[in-house]
């Protein structure tokens, strides 16, 4: 009874946060007529809505896939598919992620559901890092954004894949268990009853129910992350950051920082990255294109809802440091 009440509270707060955010930000122009609102707030409103509109379709796809995994995929299916060898499990998860058209906005609920079904944390992280970065849609958009030149798209795909494998292997050495904030039983409270054989319509309805719960659980953190990202974009001195990006090391730090703060969707970030190609070297552009899809500001907020704080911060530090080191070492050759 307590668990059911707790789940309902989560759903209600998710609905309230999403509803209030959409109401206040959607009617920003009408509010301006009633109150004196700074122009910077209206700019923040526009950025927030653009992030939210861009992200929501991918979150919906993600929670639907998570619902399908929860209801129709059993622990036995997972055990048969994932090799016991850590390296092979990482390789397989990265390959599946590379072929899977996902966005970082919707990847977290899928990863949570996979881990709750028995996927090792290192394999799940391999999938999470490659899914938004190397899938066919992202590669095609990168190819078009850079004037139908395959160099940047190829480097993004190849280096991103290698970096994801390195990060996942390091995670396999540092972390054991699922790293959930709450006990596994709470993550899979309905798993045994709903994955049993039953009428298809009943299982389909259970899948939709799980997807709706997942959407409002993840959605409120997406809204919070989008508001914070819009705030930083509005009030961050971008010109000063661009001026600070003088030299290979500084420009790489600036571009990776911009990728994290801007929280762009991986299907569209290449067009933003291409606009910086005349200002920064190729290694810095690749830092922007690889780091952002792997982990960004709103993605971090969503991960903090699912995983332990120490684990999320460790993953963030690992991703940032390994990308930085690899691109810095290769900066003279790319």
């Amino acid at each position: 009874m307590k668990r059911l009440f707790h789940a309902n509270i989560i759903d209600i707060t998710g609905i309230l946060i999403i509803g209030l955010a959409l109401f206040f930000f959607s009617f920003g122009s009408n509010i301006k007529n009633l109150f004196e609102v700074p122009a910077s707030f209206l700019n923040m409103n526009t950025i927030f809505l653009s992030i939210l509109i861009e992200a929501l379709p991918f979150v919906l796809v993600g929670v639907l896939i998570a619902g399908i995994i929860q209801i129709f995929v059993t622990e036995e299916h997972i055990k048969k598919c994932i090799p016991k060898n850590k390296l092979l499990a990482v390789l397989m998860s990265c390959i599946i992620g590379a072929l899977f058209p996902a966005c970082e906005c919707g990847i977290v609920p899928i990863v949570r559901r996979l881990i709750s079904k028995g996927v090792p944390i290192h394999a799940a992280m391999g999938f999470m890092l490659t899914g938004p970065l190397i899938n066919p849609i992202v590669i095609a958009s990168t190819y078009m954004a850079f004037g139908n030149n395959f160099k940047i798209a190829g480097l993004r795909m190849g280096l991103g894949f290698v970096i994801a494998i390195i990060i996942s292997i390091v995670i396999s050495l540092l972390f054991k268990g699922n790293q959930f904030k709450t006990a596994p039983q709470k993550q899979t409270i309905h798993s045994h009853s709903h994955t049993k054989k039953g009428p298809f319509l009943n299982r389909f309805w259970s899948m939709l129910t799980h997807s709706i719960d997942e959407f409002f659980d993840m959605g409120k953190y997406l809204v919070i992350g989008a508001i914070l990202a819009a705030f930083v974009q509005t009030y961050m001195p971008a010109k000063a950051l661009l001026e600070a990006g003088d030299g290979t090391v500084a420009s790489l730090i600036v571009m990776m920082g911009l990728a994290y703060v801007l929280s762009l969707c991986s299907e569209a970030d290449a067009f933003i990255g291409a606009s910086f190609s005349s200002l920064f070297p190729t290694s810095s552009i690749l830092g922007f294109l690889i780091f952002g899809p792997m982990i960004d500001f709103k993605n971090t907020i969503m991960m903090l809802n699912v995983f332990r704080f120490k684990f999320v911060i460790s993953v963030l530090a690992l991703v940032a440091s390994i990308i930085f080191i690899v691109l810095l070492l290769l900066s003279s050759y790319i």
Side-chain angles (χ1 to χ4, degrees):
M1 185 69 183
K2 288 182 179 178
R3 287 177 178 175
L4 181 60
F5 176 76
H6 179 65
N8 288 335
I9 291 295
I10 290 175
D11 289 345
I12 291 170
T13 56
I15 293 169
L16 286 174
I17 289 174
I18 293 171
L20 285 171
L22 289 175
F23 174 79
F24 283 113
F25 282 91
S26 297
F27 294 97
S29 58
N30 293 332
I31 293 173
K32 183 184 178 183
N33 296 328
L34 297 174
F35 306 100
E36 189 173 341
V37 180
S40 59
F41 179 84
L42 295 178
N43 184 44
M44 177 179 159
N45 162 45
T46 303
I47 295 171
F48 165 77
L49 286 177
S50 66
I51 293 173
L52 203 62
I53 292 168
E54 190 178 56
L56 277 176
F58 296 103
V59 174
L60 286 170
V61 172
V63 298
L64 282 173
I65 294 171
I68 291 170
I69 292 170
Q70 174 66 15
I71 302 303
F72 294 100
V73 179
T74 65
E75 286 81 352
E76 288 72 24
H77 292 144
I78 297 291
K79 288 176 182 177
K80 288 178 182 177
C81 294
I82 301 294
K84 292 183 179 179
N85 181 278
K86 286 184 179 180
L87 180 59
L88 291 177
V90 166
L91 284 172
M92 179 180 169
S93 65
C94 289
I95 291 170
I96 293 173
L99 299 174
F100 190 84
C103 178
E104 73 275 9
C105 311
I107 201 77
V108 175
I110 300 174
V111 167
R112 173 164 71 172
R113 199 55 62 195
L114 286 172
I115 294 174
S116 70
K117 287 289 185 176
V119 174
I121 188 70
H122 49 273
M125 288 298 105
F127 176 80
M128 190 188 86
L129 296 174
T130 53
L133 175 65
I134 312 176
N135 70 70
I137 299 172
V138 173
I139 298 304
S141 68
T142 307
Y143 173 76
M144 289 185 289
F146 286 88
N148 295 336
N149 186 341
F150 190 72
K151 179 186 175 182
I152 299 295
L155 286 170
R156 185 183 199 183
M157 179 170 57
L159 290 176
F161 188 79
V162 173
I163 289 169
I165 290 174
I166 294 171
I167 294 168
S168 301
I169 291 173
V170 174
I171 288 173
S172 73
L173 299 174
L174 296 178
F175 296 97
K176 309 297 179 186
N178 56 43
Q179 296 300 313
F180 284 146
K181 287 176 67 174
T182 54
Q185 296 92 324
K186 293 181 182 180
Q187 297 286 345
T188 57
I189 184 172
H190 300 298
S191 60
H192 296 293
S193 61
H194 289 315
T195 52
K196 290 180 180 179
K197 292 291 183 182
F200 176 79
L201 287 178
N202 288 349
R203 288 190 290 161
F204 181 76
W205 178 252
S206 296
M207 182 270 289
L208 290 179
T209 303
H210 274 284
S211 297
I212 292 168
D213 289 342
E214 196 86 45
F215 174 76
F216 286 112
D217 190 22
M218 287 286 102
K220 63 175 180 278
Y221 292 98
L222 172 65
V223 169
I224 294 169
I227 291 172
L228 292 174
F231 177 84
V232 173
Q233 287 188 50
T234 303
Y235 298 103
M236 180 184 67
K239 185 178 179 181
L241 280 177
L242 292 174
E243 290 174 352
D246 185 19
T248 303
V249 174
S251 64
L252 184 53
I253 292 172
V254 165
M255 289 303 288
M256 288 177 64
L258 281 175
Y260 184 79
V261 169
L262 293 178
S263 298
L264 299 170
C265 185
S266 59
E267 274 79 5
D269 63 353
F271 296 94
I272 305 300
S275 66
F276 291 101
S277 57
S278 61
L279 301 173
F280 296 119
T282 302
S283 58
S284 301
I285 302 301
L286 287 170
F288 180 87
L289 296 175
I290 294 174
F291 185 55
M294 284 190 173
I295 191 165
D296 59 23
F297 197 86
K298 66 179 185 300
N299 180 263
T300 303
I301 299 294
M302 295 172 77
M303 287 180 66
L304 286 169
N305 175 50
V306 177
F307 300 107
R308 295 171 186 166
F309 179 83
K310 180 181 177 182
F311 176 74
V312 175
I313 298 303
S314 299
V315 170
L316 176 58
L318 272 174
V319 173
S321 58
I322 291 175
I323 290 174
F324 179 81
I325 292 168
V326 169
L327 291 177
L328 191 61
L329 292 174
L330 297 176
S331 60
S332 301
Y333 307 97
I334 54 180

